[in-house]
Amino acid sequence: MTIAEIRKNCEQRMLKSLDALRNDLAKVRTGRAHAGLLDHITVDYYGSPMPINQVANINLLDARTISVQPWEKKMVQAVEKAIRDSDLGLNPMTQGDLIRVPMPALTEERRRDLVKVIKQEGESAKVAVRNLRRDANQQLKDLVKAKEASEDEERRAQDEVQKATDRFIADIDKMIAQKESEIMAV
């Protein structure tokens, strides 16, 4: 690998860590309903797990209610059970072949708990980015040992990797602060 390939690979993997954090934060409720909230739920579809959006239509009825309409009548109970058993703490109600998922109001205590959760997620993302920096620096050192790069080139590349790390950690901090303000807004 060349120095440019190592840097590019490191930045791409840091970007993936940022995307993973963005997806994790989208799952944390802010008290408002949004259709993406149920995306990670899987339903037992004739013995095999399927994402909920592949067995049902998911829409918003109003700001605090999600409607889920399975494509097959037989799937209503399975979809309802999957939503109830998910880690979101939701209580769906069935009306014929339509499942209504009301979003309960967040209490102050629950909001504080959610802020702790997102801060832990942010810290995990920062650790992942730092681990990628460490791996990239180790690859650069290996290039110098193999006499494929000079120590000056290694130092410059390490500085660029550090700048990328700082940039991604600042992005993570911004995302966490934004999500925290969303959660704490009453």
Side-chain angles (χ1 to χ4, degrees), residues 4-173:
E5 289 171 340
I6 291 171
R7 273 198 346 251
K8 183 179 177 188
N9 184 25
C10 178
E11 285 198 27
Q12 286 174 340
R13 292 172 67 195
M14 285 179 180
L15 195 58
K16 286 180 185 174
S17 294
L18 207 62
D19 289 342
L21 175 66
R22 191 171 289 118
N23 289 336
D24 290 343
L25 291 181
K27 294 174 189 170
V28 176
R29 289 190 299 137
T30 58
R32 290 186 299 270
H34 63 91
L37 193 65
L38 305 177
D39 282 351
H40 74 290
I41 296 176
T42 56
V43 178
D44 183 35
Y45 186 73
Y46 299 110
S48 44
M50 295 284 285
I52 195 168
N53 57 5
Q54 291 185 11
V55 297
N57 283 330
I58 301 171
N59 295 307
L60 293 179
L61 290 178
D62 56 52
R64 301 188 67 83
T65 310
I66 300 173
S67 73
V68 180
Q69 188 162 17
W71 295 326
E72 298 176 31
K73 285 190 186 289
K74 291 184 250 178
M75 293 304 299
V76 172
Q77 278 75 29
V79 170
E80 183 180 9
K81 182 181 184 316
I83 294 170
R84 186 169 282 118
D85 294 346
S86 72
D87 59 350
L88 297 172
L90 299 173
N91 192 18
M93 298 176 294
T94 305
Q95 295 176 332
D97 62 343
L98 180 73
I99 302 169
R100 291 176 176 264
V101 185
M103 303 300 293
L106 292 176
T107 63
E108 186 69 23
E109 180 182 346
R110 179 74 176 127
R111 289 175 195 270
R112 292 192 199 292
D113 291 343
L114 288 175
V115 167
K116 286 179 190 172
V117 167
I118 64 167
K119 286 188 176 182
Q120 286 174 340
E121 294 282 348
E123 205 50 50
S124 297
K126 288 180 187 179
V127 167
V129 167
R130 290 181 188 123
N131 286 342
L132 292 169
R133 175 190 60 195
R134 183 197 62 217
D135 294 346
N137 285 342
Q138 186 58 48
Q139 289 174 333
L140 292 169
K141 286 180 179 148
D142 292 345
L143 280 181
V144 171
K145 280 183 187 171
K147 305 268 191 250
E148 294 178 20
S150 70
E151 288 182 12
D152 288 343
E153 290 172 326
E154 175 205 12
R155 174 60 52 207
R156 275 193 293 275
Q158 282 182 346
D159 288 345
E160 289 177 19
V161 168
Q162 181 61 46
K163 286 177 187 169
T165 303
D166 294 342
R167 191 174 67 242
F168 281 103
I169 286 181
D171 289 347
I172 289 170
D173 286 337

